[in-house]
């Protein structure tokens, strides 16, 4: 039986801070001195209600979420939100514009990777409006079929009056992420988005794999932000929603006007009115997430983790470039579109990828194999991956490149 922990570079569920896991283990036996474990206690107990309220407060303060937005906790992962955002925002649009037919309603999708593509296909499957591709980054890729870039702002074609505008901030599978520099052409084009007559934006941001790693640009202008917890802040089983209050609509009233009926557990209004306790939530994931957020705050919050994330990513990308110069590695993503969270590259040569993975595992590093749909190597640098962990990987990458180069020149 393994007695020590390995370094986990997996894309999710991802690594968690050891100090948090140790404290969570105590909470499994005795939560908040109740004598009852967190996995056993009532979600309506005063202790848990106080705890979940504090989790909300920690997110609100660290992300600077304005009072115009509610913070909700639900289940089903980000993938369930592919459906929920469509149902809720089409219900909202039906209430605002009951005179329009389904063909006259449109949902805009920005496709920059595998997850935004999946979200678009779900919107298309559900119907209720036309699903429009406002941008397909594959057209601008090196091979014309892969997701390897974020195109410049003048390539977007938004509809004039969308029911929703969807984007995925970081594509975990493909390693593509919008630049945090608002002046960069690879940033998200907030300034050219079409607004509603009220001035609001029906903007939906999937931040699952970058949530709580750095500030969210234009957060207050979003209609909905959602994130699965299992990348940066907790285990699988919890999804965090940040919903502008005008999107907490009466879905039953919308259904009477012809909108698709929304299951109660997917209704944002139901979640908000029940303070995320309409049904039994994921108590253990919420508990661990709360412990992670408390630790984040103690370390300096988003400013600390943004700086840490930048350093980690720069180190790994530098190692990839050094390997490219020696003909050992090959980066997949075009410059300016590279993810801080998920570094994707190939190891060149017959059997080289397997040797790279086997060698990494021998020195205590796992979770580096790329997604089955794209292959290659994927280094996930979520918040709990330390700089020391990253340095160990970089040292291994340099050693692998040196040995591979020596082998090729022999």
């Amino acid at each position: 039986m393994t007695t020590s922990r390995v370094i986990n570079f997996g894309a999710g569920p991802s690594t968690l801070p050891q100090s948090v896991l140790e404290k969570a283990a105590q909470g499994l036996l005795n939560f908040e001195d109740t004598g009852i474990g967190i996995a056993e206690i009532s979600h309506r107990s005063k202790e848990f209600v106080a705890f979940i309220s504090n989790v909300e407060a920690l997110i609100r303060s660290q992300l600077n979420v304005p009072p115009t937005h509610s913070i909700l906790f639900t289940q089903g992962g980000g993938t369930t939100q592919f459906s929920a955002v469509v149902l809720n925002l089409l219900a909202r649009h039906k209430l605002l514009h009951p005179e329009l037919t389904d063909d006259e309603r449109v949902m805009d999708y920005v496709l920059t990777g595998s997850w935004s593509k999946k979200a678009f296909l779900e919107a298309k499957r559900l119907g209720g409006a036309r699903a429009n591709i406002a941008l397909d980054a594959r057209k601008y890729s090196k091979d014309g079929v892969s997701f390897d870039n974020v195109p410049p702002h003048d390539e977007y074609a938004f509809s004039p009056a969308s029911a929703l505008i969807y984007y995925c901030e970081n594509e975990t599978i493909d390693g593509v992420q919008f630049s945090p520099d608002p002046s960069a052409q690879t940033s998200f084009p907030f300034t050219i988005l079409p607004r509603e007559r009220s001035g609001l934006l029906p903007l939906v941001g999937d931040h699952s794999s970058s949530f709580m790693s750095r500030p969210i640009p234009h957060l207050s202008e979003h209609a909905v932000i959602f994130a699965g917890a299992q990348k940066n802040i907790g285990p699988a089983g919890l999804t965090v929603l940040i919903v502008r209050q005008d999107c907490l609509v009466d879905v039953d009233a919308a259904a009477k006007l012809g909108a698709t009926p929304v299951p109660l557990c997917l209704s944002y209004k139901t979640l908000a009115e029940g303070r995320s306790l309409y049904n039994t939530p994921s108590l253990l994931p919420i508990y661990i997430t709360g412990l992670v957020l408390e630790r984040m705050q103690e370390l300096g919050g988003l400013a600390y983790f943004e700086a840490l994330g930048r350093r980690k990513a720069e180190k790994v990308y530098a190692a990839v470039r050094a390997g490219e110069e020696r003909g050992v590695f090959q980066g997949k993503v075009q410059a300016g579109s590279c993810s801080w969270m998920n570094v994707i590259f190939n190891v060149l040569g017959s059997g080289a990828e397997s040797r790279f993975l086997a060698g990494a595992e021998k020195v205590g590093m796992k979770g580096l194999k790329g997604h089955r749909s794209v292959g290659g190597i994927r280094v996930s640098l979520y918040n709990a991956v330390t700089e020391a962990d990253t340095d160990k990987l970089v040292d291994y990458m340099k050693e692998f490149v040196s040995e591979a180069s020596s082998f090729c020149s022999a």
Side-chain angles (χ1 to χ4, degrees):
M1 181 177 177
T2 302
T3 56
S4 61
R5 287 171 60 80
V6 301
I7 301 174
N8 176 15
F9 289 104
S14 61
T15 190
L16 289 165
Q18 184 164 327
S19 61
V20 166
L21 293 175
E22 290 169 349
K23 190 170 182 179
Q26 299 171 13
L28 274 171
L29 294 173
N30 185 1
F31 171 67
E32 302 287 281
D33 293 323
T34 60
I36 304 174
I38 182 60
E40 310 162 287
I41 200 164
S42 168
H43 61 293
R44 300 194 186 280
S45 65
K46 68 179 189 298
E47 292 85 3
F48 183 77
V49 170
F51 190 88
I52 195 172
S53 296
N54 187 53
V55 176
E56 176 185 341
L58 287 166
I59 294 173
R60 189 174 294 279
S61 63
Q62 293 185 54
L63 268 181
N64 196 24
V65 179
T68 52
H69 289 62
S70 296
I71 298 174
L72 310 173
F73 304 104
T74 187
Q75 303 172 48
T79 305
T80 297
Q81 292 307 308
F82 295 167
S83 310
V85 294
V86 169
L87 296 173
N88 281 274
L89 291 191
L90 284 186
R92 173 181 180 268
H93 203 256
K94 177 68 82 169
L95 291 169
L96 291 173
H97 305 285
E99 75 284 358
L100 297 180
T101 66
D102 287 355
D103 287 340
E104 292 172 319
R105 298 182 202 281
V106 63
M107 302 174 287
D108 278 349
Y109 278 77
V110 175
L111 272 56
T112 52
S114 300
W115 289 114
S116 49
K117 178 186 174 185
K118 287 177 184 289
F120 166 74
L121 292 175
E122 176 64 357
K124 192 174 180 181
R125 188 185 74 83
L126 288 175
R130 289 185 293 109
N132 173 61
I133 298 177
L135 176 87
D136 190 339
R138 289 172 293 188
K139 296 178 182 178
Y140 309 90
S141 66
K142 287 175 284 189
D143 60 10
V145 295
S146 302
F147 289 111
D148 68 2
N149 72 101
V150 174
H153 293 176
D154 58 7
E155 299 300 325
Y156 292 77
F158 293 108
S159 304
S162 304
L164 67 90
I165 303 169
Y166 168 95
Y167 74 100
C168 180
E169 200 276 335
N170 179 75
E171 291 282 0
T172 322
I173 293 174
D174 308 280
V176 173
Q177 186 171 26
F178 289 96
S179 171
D181 178 1
S183 66
Q185 282 293 299
T186 52
S187 64
F188 189 76
F190 292 101
T191 58
I192 65 171
L193 296 177
R195 293 180 177 272
E196 298 173 340
R197 283 175 291 189
S198 62
L200 295 174
L201 284 172
L203 184 61
V204 176
D206 177 354
H207 282 251
S208 288
S209 54
S210 59
F211 192 64
M212 300 302 295
S213 66
R214 62 193 191 197
I216 296 177
H218 297 260
L219 185 152
S220 63
E221 295 190 86
H222 285 73
V224 181
I225 292 168
F226 66 86
Q230 69 273 13
K231 310 293 186 178
N232 280 308
I233 60 169
L238 169 65
T239 306
V240 180
L241 302 172
I242 301 175
V243 183
R244 202 172 61 217
Q245 286 163 13
D246 63 281
C247 299
L248 304 174
V249 300
D250 188 335
V251 295
D252 291 336
K256 290 177 182 177
L257 295 175
T260 302
V262 182
L264 279 179
C265 286
L266 295 184
S267 163
Y268 296 154
K269 187 173 187 287
T270 300
L271 285 171
E273 289 178 344
R275 302 199 64 180
S276 300
L277 301 173
Y278 175 78
N279 65 323
T280 306
S282 301
L283 279 79
L284 180 58
I286 290 171
Y287 177 57
I288 295 177
T289 294
L291 299 182
V292 170
L293 291 168
E294 288 173 356
R295 176 180 178 270
M296 285 186 64
Q297 184 167 270
E298 291 168 1
L299 290 172
L302 288 188
Y304 172 87
F305 283 96
E306 181 178 19
L308 174 63
R310 185 187 294 273
R311 292 197 305 272
K312 292 188 298 185
E314 287 175 348
K315 288 181 177 184
V316 176
Y317 280 114
V320 172
R321 289 193 296 271
E324 286 180 316
E325 292 172 0
R326 304 284 288 274
V328 179
F329 298 149
Q330 182 182 59
K332 286 191 171 186
V333 180
Q334 295 182 35
S337 304
C338 296
S339 169
W340 290 14
M341 295 285 97
N342 310 100
V343 181
I344 312 292
F345 62 95
N346 288 324
V347 184
L348 303 178
S350 177
E353 180 182 305
S354 296
R355 291 197 302 274
F356 181 90
L357 292 170
E361 190 157 341
K362 282 183 180 178
V363 294
M365 295 181 287
K366 293 186 177 182
L368 290 164
K369 187 173 179 60
H371 191 271
R372 60 188 179 278
S373 65
V374 296
I377 303 299
R378 174 170 55 178
V379 181
S380 295
L381 299 171
Y382 299 125
N383 284 358
V385 175
T386 67
E387 196 161 6
D389 294 340
T390 306
D391 289 341
K392 184 173 182 180
L393 172 65
V394 168
D395 288 343
Y396 169 69
M397 292 170 69
K398 291 177 179 177
E399 181 182 343
F400 185 89
V401 168
S402 179
E403 290 178 356
S405 300
S406 299
F407 177 78
C408 290
S409 60

Coordinates of all heavy atoms in Angstrom, one line a residue, residues 26 30 37 71 83 95 108 117 121 155 164 169 182 186 227 234 244 260 298 304 336-337 347 353 356 363-364 397 407:
Q26 N -11.1 15.2 9.9 CA -11.6 15.4 11.2 C -13.1 15.7 11.1 O -13.9 15.3 11.9 CB -10.9 16.5 11.9 CG -9.4 16.3 12.1 CD -8.6 17.5 12.6 OE1 -9.2 18.5 13.0 NE2 -7.3 17.4 12.5
N30 N -16.5 14.6 13.1 CA -17.1 15.6 14.0 C -17.1 17.0 13.4 O -16.1 17.7 13.4 CB -16.3 15.6 15.3 CG -17.0 16.5 16.4 OD1 -18.1 17.1 16.1 ND2 -16.4 16.6 17.5
G37 N -20.7 13.7 12.0 CA -19.8 13.9 10.8 C -20.5 14.8 9.7 O -21.8 14.8 9.6
I71 N -25.3 34.1 -5.3 CA -24.3 32.9 -5.3 C -25.1 31.7 -4.9 O -25.7 31.6 -3.8 CB -23.1 33.2 -4.4 CG1 -22.3 34.4 -4.9 CG2 -22.2 31.9 -4.4 CD1 -21.2 34.8 -4.1
S83 N -27.4 22.7 -20.0 CA -28.9 22.6 -20.1 C -29.6 23.7 -19.3 O -30.5 24.4 -19.8 CB -29.4 21.2 -19.7 OG -28.7 20.2 -20.3
L95 N -40.4 35.7 -21.2 CA -41.1 36.7 -20.4 C -40.9 38.1 -20.9 O -41.8 38.9 -20.9 CB -40.7 36.6 -19.0 CG -41.1 35.3 -18.2 CD1 -40.4 35.1 -16.9 CD2 -42.6 35.2 -18.0
D108 N -26.3 32.7 -28.9 CA -25.0 32.8 -29.5 C -24.0 32.0 -28.7 O -23.9 32.1 -27.5 CB -24.5 34.3 -29.5 CG -25.1 35.0 -30.7 OD1 -25.7 34.4 -31.6 OD2 -24.9 36.3 -30.8
K117 N -18.0 23.5 -27.5 CA -18.7 22.7 -28.5 C -19.8 21.9 -27.9 O -20.9 21.8 -28.5 CB -17.7 21.9 -29.3 CG -18.3 21.0 -30.4 CD -17.3 20.1 -31.0 CE -17.9 19.1 -32.0 NZ -17.0 18.1 -32.5
L121 N -23.9 22.1 -28.7 CA -24.6 20.9 -29.2 C -25.8 20.6 -28.3 O -26.9 20.2 -28.7 CB -23.7 19.7 -29.3 CG -22.7 19.7 -30.4 CD1 -21.8 18.5 -30.3 CD2 -23.3 19.8 -31.8
E155 N -13.3 38.9 -35.7 CA -13.8 37.7 -36.3 C -15.1 37.2 -35.7 O -15.7 36.3 -36.2 CB -12.8 36.5 -36.2 CG -11.4 36.8 -36.9 CD -11.6 37.1 -38.4 OE1 -12.5 36.4 -39.0 OE2 -10.9 37.9 -38.9
L164 N -29.0 34.5 -25.1 CA -27.8 34.3 -24.3 C -26.6 34.3 -25.2 O -26.7 34.0 -26.4 CB -27.9 33.0 -23.5 CG -27.9 31.6 -24.2 CD1 -26.5 31.1 -24.4 CD2 -28.8 30.6 -23.5
E169 N -14.3 30.1 -20.5 CA -13.1 30.9 -20.3 C -11.9 30.1 -20.5 O -10.9 30.6 -21.0 CB -13.2 31.5 -18.9 CG -12.3 32.7 -18.6 CD -10.9 32.3 -18.3 OE1 -10.7 31.2 -17.8 OE2 -10.0 33.2 -18.5
P182 N -6.9 42.9 -21.3 CA -8.0 43.4 -22.1 C -7.6 44.0 -23.4 O -8.4 44.1 -24.3 CB -8.7 44.4 -21.1 CG -7.6 44.8 -20.2 CD -6.8 43.6 -20.0
T186 N -6.6 38.3 -28.1 CA -7.1 37.0 -27.7 C -7.8 37.1 -26.4 O -8.1 36.0 -25.8 CB -5.9 36.1 -27.6 OG1 -4.9 36.7 -26.7 CG2 -5.3 35.7 -28.9
A227 N -19.4 27.2 -12.4 CA -18.1 26.5 -12.3 C -18.3 25.2 -11.5 O -18.8 25.2 -10.4 CB -17.1 27.4 -11.6
G234 N -12.4 22.4 -4.8 CA -13.1 21.3 -4.0 C -13.2 20.0 -4.8 O -12.6 19.9 -5.9
R244 N -27.1 36.8 -12.0 CA -27.7 38.1 -11.8 C -29.2 38.0 -11.5 O -29.9 37.2 -12.1 CB -27.5 38.9 -13.1 CG -27.5 40.4 -13.0 CD -27.1 41.1 -14.3 NE -28.1 40.7 -15.4 CZ -27.7 40.6 -16.6 NH1 -26.4 40.7 -17.0 NH2 -28.6 40.2 -17.5
T260 N -40.2 26.2 -22.7 CA -40.0 24.8 -22.2 C -40.1 24.7 -20.7 O -39.4 25.5 -20.0 CB -38.6 24.2 -22.7 OG1 -38.5 24.3 -24.1 CG2 -38.4 22.8 -22.2
E298 N -6.5 33.2 3.8 CA -5.4 33.3 4.7 C -4.1 33.5 3.9 O -3.2 34.3 4.4 CB -5.2 32.0 5.5 CG -6.3 31.8 6.6 CD -6.3 30.4 7.2 OE1 -5.5 29.6 6.8 OE2 -7.2 30.1 8.0
Y304 N -2.8 36.4 -4.6 CA -1.7 35.4 -4.3 C -1.8 34.3 -5.4 O -0.7 34.0 -6.0 CB -1.9 34.9 -2.9 CG -1.0 33.7 -2.6 CD1 0.3 33.9 -2.1 CD2 -1.4 32.4 -2.9 CE1 1.1 32.8 -1.9 CE2 -0.6 31.3 -2.6 CZ 0.6 31.5 -2.1 OH 1.5 30.4 -1.8
G336 N -0.4 33.4 -27.3 CA -1.4 34.3 -26.9 C -2.7 33.7 -26.5 O -3.6 34.3 -25.9
S337 N -2.9 32.4 -26.8 CA -4.1 31.7 -26.4 C -3.9 30.5 -25.4 O -4.8 29.7 -25.2 CB -4.7 31.1 -27.7 OG -5.0 32.1 -28.7
V347 N 4.9 14.8 -27.1 CA 6.2 14.3 -27.0 C 6.5 13.6 -28.4 O 5.8 12.6 -28.7 CB 6.4 13.4 -25.8 CG1 7.9 13.0 -25.7 CG2 6.0 14.0 -24.6
E353 N 6.0 9.3 -26.0 CA 5.0 9.8 -25.0 C 4.9 8.8 -23.9 O 4.8 9.1 -22.7 CB 3.7 9.9 -25.7 CG 2.6 10.4 -24.8 CD 1.2 10.5 -25.5 OE1 1.2 11.3 -26.5 OE2 0.2 9.9 -25.0
F356 N 7.8 9.1 -21.6 CA 7.7 10.3 -20.8 C 6.7 10.1 -19.6 O 7.1 10.4 -18.4 CB 7.1 11.5 -21.6 CG 7.0 12.8 -20.9 CD1 8.0 13.7 -20.8 CD2 5.8 13.1 -20.2 CE1 7.9 14.9 -20.1 CE2 5.6 14.3 -19.5 CZ 6.7 15.2 -19.5
V363 N 9.0 8.9 -10.8 CA 9.5 9.9 -9.8 C 8.3 10.6 -9.1 O 8.5 11.7 -8.6 CB 10.4 11.0 -10.5 CG1 11.7 10.3 -11.0 CG2 9.7 11.6 -11.7
G364 N 7.2 9.9 -9.1 CA 6.1 10.4 -8.2 C 5.1 11.4 -8.8 O 4.5 12.2 -8.1
M397 N 11.2 17.4 -17.0 CA 11.1 17.7 -18.4 C 12.4 18.0 -19.0 O 12.8 17.6 -20.1 CB 10.1 18.9 -18.7 CG 8.6 18.5 -18.3 SD 7.6 20.0 -18.3 CE 7.5 20.4 -20.1
F407 N 20.1 10.7 -27.1 CA 19.8 9.4 -27.7 C 19.7 9.6 -29.2 O 20.2 8.8 -30.0 CB 18.5 8.9 -27.2 CG 18.0 7.6 -27.9 CD1 18.5 6.4 -27.6 CD2 17.0 7.7 -28.9 CE1 18.1 5.2 -28.2 CE2 16.6 6.5 -29.5 CZ 17.1 5.3 -29.2

